[in-house]
Amino acid sequence: MLKTEYKQQSIYSIIYNKIPDDHLLKQIDRVVDFSFINEMFRDSYCKYYGRPAKEPEMRCIICIMQLLIEDY
């Protein structure tokens, strides 16, 4: 007999799949690549001392989301 394994999706992918494809945040995600932000701020954070920095890319995306939500 063949063994069938089912992999459970993360809760985040399940929630993401419930967002309509024409939603503004999904449109922005498809068009804009925010990865340049981490590279731009790399020299501003020390890798070896102190607490680890939050990812600059994530922080910028959260700020953009807050601005978009305020407009609704």
Side-chain angles (χ1 to χ4, degrees):
M1 283 179 86
L2 293 175
K3 205 176 199 182
T4 305
E5 292 184 30
Y6 296 99
K7 294 185 179 180
Q8 182 178 359
Q9 292 181 331
S10 75
I11 186 70
Y12 301 109
S13 64
I14 293 170
I15 293 171
Y16 185 81
N17 292 335
K18 292 189 180 288
I19 300 171
D21 288 334
D22 62 344
H23 191 276
L24 180 60
L25 293 177
K26 275 195 171 180
Q27 292 175 8
I28 291 172
D29 187 46
R30 281 193 298 267
V31 176
V32 181
D33 178 19
F34 290 100
S35 63
F36 72 93
I37 295 172
N38 286 341
E39 184 64 29
M40 192 167 81
F41 287 102
R42 183 169 33 132
D43 294 336
S44 300
Y45 296 97
C46 181
K47 296 178 186 179
Y48 308 109
Y49 304 111
R51 294 172 49 193
K54 298 292 183 193
E55 188 175 342
E57 178 182 347
M58 178 183 66
R59 295 179 80 185
C60 289
I61 291 172
I62 290 171
C63 288
I64 291 170
M65 288 173 53
Q66 286 176 331
L67 289 172
L68 292 174
I69 289 171
E70 287 176 2
D71 288 343
Y72 273 104

